[in-house]
Amino acid sequence: MTTTSPTTAFSADVAGRPGTIRNRVLWTLQILLGLFFVIASGGPKLVIPNALADNAPENLTIPFGLLVFIGVVEVAGGIGLLVPRLSALAAVGLSVLTVLAAGTQAFIADKPAMAIFPLVLAAIFAWIAYERRAGVTALRDSLSR
């Protein structure tokens, strides 16, 4: 028969979560980036897609449907960053999206210097996903019941 003392259960719970300062930094980043993707990045693609498509440079023509789809993905990812159980999955999705945006900037738009910002965002989202990976496990367990 095995028994667990209250200190053992507490230390195992604390080991699965980021530290207090790290948790605050993560939530600050998640809130700021979530608001950025909802308000400044994805929102305009949904509210004024025609103006964005008309003002795009001639070497970067994105089909209208793809522009709206990217807006939906960015808004969904931004909202997902703000939901504790979905934050890891949203961070993974936004990391993939920003890597693809960096590739678009570097290879299709022929502006590799513009790919730095999306790659930095991808690294931040990968870190958020790694630190919030316990949320993916909790979500999987709740869906399997």
Side-chain angles (χ1 to χ4, degrees):
M1 179 171 130
T2 60
T3 60
T4 59
S5 67
T7 57
T8 307
F10 178 73
S11 64
D13 184 42
V14 171
R17 294 185 324 212
T20 304
I21 294 173
R22 188 180 321 160
N23 194 33
R24 289 181 182 163
V25 169
L26 283 167
W27 274 113
T28 302
L29 282 172
Q30 286 174 237
I31 291 169
L32 290 174
L33 290 171
L35 290 175
F36 169 75
F37 272 93
V38 170
I39 296 170
S41 186
K45 290 179 179 88
L46 296 177
V47 176
I48 53 169
N50 291 327
L52 292 176
D54 293 342
N55 291 329
E58 59 277 346
N59 61 345
L60 186 61
T61 56
I62 297 175
F64 184 77
L66 180 60
L67 183 69
V68 172
F69 175 75
I70 292 170
V72 168
V73 170
E74 288 178 346
V75 169
I79 293 170
L81 283 176
L82 304 176
V83 178
R85 282 205 168 178
L86 300 177
S87 61
L89 292 174
V92 169
L94 287 170
S95 183
V96 170
L97 181 74
T98 53
V99 167
L100 293 173
T104 301
Q105 290 292 333
F107 301 113
I108 296 175
D110 201 28
K111 296 183 181 183
M114 297 295 290
I116 295 170
F117 180 66
L119 289 176
V120 169
L121 284 177
I124 292 170
F125 288 132
W127 179 59
I128 291 171
Y130 176 76
E131 292 293 336
R132 301 292 188 206
R133 66 192 178 276
V136 175
T137 306
L139 183 64
R140 183 193 64 208
D141 291 342
S142 69
L143 291 175
S144 66
R145 290 182 192 163

